[in-house]
Amino acid sequence: YHNVFKVNGTAFKDCDIPPPSEVLTSGNDTVVLKTPGQKWYICGVDNHCSAFGQKLSITVLYQYGWAPAPAPLAPTPISSSPSLSTPTAPSWPPAPSLPTTPAPTPEPWAPTTLSVPETTVTDPWTPSPISSPPSLPKPTAPSWPPAPSPYPWI
């Protein structure tokens, strides 16, 4: 009912089926993943790949994880040339000016200055100074005898 084709990345993305001579159909086919990198496989039966997404992508890592970073490129020498000129800033046309309107003049009946009555503001979070500590009543001994304890061990 199914088969397997080893394809490249483009054929994998587009579900392009290779020639029938490259198909794996036995059901016991063995695929050995010897080299690191990306491997792609698709089903080539009818529209199984494109309509049903029957495809497989495998990333084979190096024995000790991801591939090492490539060596940096050697710097290329820069030759000095007398024909090089100093870059200049581009010149743009001046920006269009916007029309300006004069500031409105106040009506003759409008006051020229605002008058605000002066008020004293106190900070509600600052405690007011206390001249003397409040007087508390002195405790006095009760005038009745103490009640006997319901607990004899006390």
Side-chain angles (χ1 to χ4, degrees), residues 5-154:
F5 284 96
K6 180 176 180 11
V7 294
N8 62 23
T10 304
F12 177 81
K13 183 180 76 153
D14 298 336
C15 287
D16 290 337
I17 310 299
S21 61
E22 299 176 24
V23 69
L24 304 173
T25 57
S26 74
N28 289 324
D29 298 296
T30 301
V31 177
V32 179
L33 305 171
K34 292 180 185 177
T35 59
Q38 196 75 25
K39 314 295 181 191
W40 298 278
Y41 300 90
I42 62 174
C43 179
V45 174
D46 295 330
N47 60 352
H48 289 188
C49 178
S50 59
F52 303 110
Q54 290 186 347
K55 49 187 177 177
L56 172 68
S57 171
I58 300 172
T59 302
V60 179
L61 301 178
Y62 280 83
Q63 182 178 3
Y64 299 106
W66 291 102
L73 297 174
T76 55
I78 299 174
S79 62
S80 61
S81 171
S83 65
L84 295 178
S85 63
T86 306
T88 58
S91 62
W92 286 289
S97 61
L98 298 175
T100 58
T101 57
T105 57
E107 296 294 328
W109 49 265
T112 56
T113 59
L114 297 177
S115 61
V116 178
E118 287 190 29
T119 58
T120 304
V121 178
T122 57
D123 183 8
W125 301 106
T126 304
S128 59
I130 298 174
S131 58
S132 62
S135 59
L136 298 175
K138 303 252 185 225
T140 57
S143 59
W144 64 87
S149 173
Y151 308 103
W153 57 88
I154 297 180

